[in-house]
Amino acid sequence: AWVSSLSMGMVFFCSPIVSIFTDLFGCRKVAVTGAAVGLVGLLSSSFVSTIEPLYFTYGILFACGCSFAYQPSLVILGHYFKKRLGLVNGIVTAGSSLFTVSLPFLLRVLIDSVDLCNTLRVLCILMFVLFLAGFTYKPLVPNTKDQEGGKKGKFKLPPAKKICNFSVFKVLSYRIWAFGIPAALFGYFVPYVHLMNHVKDRFGDSVPEEVLLLCLGITSGVGRLIFGRVADYIPGAKKIYLQVASFFFIGLMSMMIPLCNVFGALVAVCLFMGLFDGCFICIMAPIAFELVGAQDVSQAIGFLLGLMSVPMTVGPPIAGLLRDKLGTYDVAFYLAGVPPLIGGAILCFIPWVHERQKLKERAKPVDGETTEKMLENECTWVLDSREKPVKELDSGC
């Protein structure tokens, strides 16, 4: 359990570092290097016979490689798509839902037939495909390396301010977003971690709990496709209202889990939860592009994912402690629904703040142009007033 928990935490914890490397060296080099490191970590894990080395080979090396390969796949989309960026993100992120549904069954068959070590070696094929896919990333927005040294010049390490681009936090709407989402995630992943144990406590072994994972995975993929397309029709920062709706419904569904005394009702809750989970994930990158622009989006996403690692790691263990103290998951699920509601309420302010920022930026050049036009009109009026008496004298003669 600690190995998998460390692996998930490292994927998000490394995100700010990945964003810096993406800005310095570009999406292609970072993605290819990350996939290669992940491949080495996964392959070396297949030769390990004790649990201790797995903390490094799988929990750190493989997870860091996945982090370096994952984030450029989101950033590169904004280089090629703008009008249909939401739909593209929905299609790309729907792939994870497809594997969420199919991979558990494949892994069970592989482990039963060829054992765990050979299963890890088979999974190395997927990492090799990811390695090859990284070579197709051709960035259209210049990175920091090109801007500092030029295409033919030697690479010079840019100033620290450009390496760690904390200027994104000067954007008030981004600050609200970057702290509102982690606030919502303290309870967001509790159902995903503890739902299976809750089903065993409530219904025993008489129900197929794998059906719930299928419902979450399938509807999450459908939600990413649907809401990704819907986001393309919503202008500017108003896309954030889709995330607000997703947090509201996920918080509500979390609170409804303890109320489901029939397994069919629990299936319905998981269907809705998966649908809005897909909504939350697929529009993350389009919102980042709207708030900070294409040039700063890499580190904007990186800082956000890094902040997300804290609630993702802390929330589920707290729910587990509550279950140990109270003997049931009911209170844990009720409390897990509160942070998404609070986080969603915080995000509601972003469109208003973002529009005010835009108006202030537009007002500066507009005021300058207005002043210039007023001066021009004044000069024209003076010249006309001087010319009129002259013309009257000429006409009188």
Side-chain angles (χ1 to χ4, degrees), residues 13 24-25 29 55 119 175 212 239 261 276 306 323 347 384:
F13 184 75
L24 287 175
F25 302 105
K29 292 180 181 178
Y55 290 115
T119 298
R175 289 204 305 269
L212 301 179
K239 293 180 176 67
N261 296 319
F276 287 99
R323 194 271 176 193
L347 297 183
D384 290 342

Side-chain angles (χ1 to χ4, degrees), residues 360-380:
K360 286 182 180 180
E361 291 174 0
R362 291 172 184 170
K364 292 179 181 179
V366 168
D367 290 342
E369 290 174 5
T370 305
T371 304
E372 290 177 3
K373 287 180 179 179
M374 288 175 66
L375 290 173
E376 289 176 3
N377 292 334
E378 186 177 351
C379 293
T380 305

Side-chain angles (χ1 to χ4, degrees), residues 177 181 238-250 276 279-285 287 304 340 343-344 347 350:
W177 190 56
I181 287 183
K238 291 183 179 179
K239 293 180 176 67
I240 202 74
Y241 289 129
L242 288 177
Q243 280 192 332
V244 172
S246 67
F247 282 142
F248 175 79
F249 279 101
I250 287 174
F276 287 99
C279 173
F280 162 68
I281 292 173
C282 74
I283 60 173
M284 189 177 297
I287 291 173
L304 177 65
L347 297 183
I350 291 178

Side-chain angles (χ1 to χ4, degrees), residues 85-356:
L85 183 60
L87 176 61
V88 172
N89 272 275
I91 294 172
V92 171
T93 56
S96 62
S97 296
L98 179 63
F99 280 92
T100 300
V101 174
S102 59
L103 202 57
F105 298 99
L106 176 63
L107 290 176
R108 181 176 297 179
V109 172
L110 287 173
I111 291 173
D112 292 340
S113 57
V114 297
D115 72 45
L116 178 62
C117 294
N118 288 318
T119 298
L120 294 176
R121 290 163 194 162
V122 171
L123 293 178
C124 288
I125 298 173
L126 298 178
M127 292 303 300
F128 184 70
V129 172
L130 194 60
F131 173 77
L132 296 178
F135 285 101
T136 64
Y137 296 175
K138 185 180 179 182
L140 301 181
V141 178
N143 54 44
T144 306
K145 178 180 176 180
D146 294 335
Q147 292 176 346
E148 292 294 324
K151 293 184 178 179
K152 296 182 179 179
K154 294 182 179 179
F155 173 63
K156 295 181 181 179
L157 190 66
K161 290 182 179 180
K162 290 190 177 182
I163 294 177
C164 294
N165 187 14
F166 291 109
S167 62
V168 294
F169 286 100
K170 294 181 180 179
V171 181
L172 179 59
S173 55
Y174 174 77
R175 289 204 305 269
I176 298 173
W177 190 56
F179 291 101
I181 287 183
L185 292 180
F186 274 100
Y188 188 94
F189 284 98
V190 170
Y192 294 91
V193 175
H194 296 290
L195 183 59
M196 297 298 103
N197 292 329
H198 170 72
V199 171
K200 289 181 180 178
D201 290 346
R202 179 67 62 88
F203 301 101
D205 297 328
S206 59
V207 294
E209 63 267 14
E210 294 86 0
V211 173
L212 301 179
L213 291 177
L214 281 173
C215 294
L216 288 170
I218 292 172
T219 54
S220 179
V222 173
R224 296 176 197 197
L225 294 173
I226 294 175
F227 289 105
R229 186 56 178 150
V230 170
D232 292 331
Y233 293 103
I234 300 177
K238 291 183 179 179
K239 293 180 176 67
I240 202 74
Y241 289 129
L242 288 177
Q243 280 192 332
V244 172
S246 67
F247 282 142
F248 175 79
F249 279 101
I250 287 174
L252 187 62
M253 292 299 107
S254 297
M255 293 179 174
M256 290 184 65
I257 289 175
L259 302 177
C260 297
N261 296 319
V262 180
F263 185 71
L266 203 57
V267 170
V269 166
C270 289
L271 289 173
F272 279 101
M273 187 175 291
L275 187 68
F276 287 99
D277 170 74
C279 173
F280 162 68
I281 292 173
C282 74
I283 60 173
M284 189 177 297
I287 291 173
F289 275 97
E290 292 289 346
L291 297 182
V292 301
Q295 193 67 40
D296 299 325
V297 73
S298 175
Q299 295 207 29
I301 295 175
F303 288 133
L304 177 65
L305 295 178
L307 292 170
M308 285 169 55
S309 66
V310 177
M312 286 179 63
T313 306
V314 173
I318 292 176
L321 288 174
L322 288 173
R323 194 271 176 193
D324 292 339
K325 294 288 184 180
L326 303 174
T328 177
Y329 283 106
D330 291 358
V331 175
F333 284 122
Y334 287 135
L335 294 178
V338 176
L341 298 179
I342 295 174
I346 294 172
L347 297 183
C348 288
F349 294 97
I350 291 178
W352 176 72
V353 171
H354 193 64
E355 287 301 319
R356 287 194 63 185

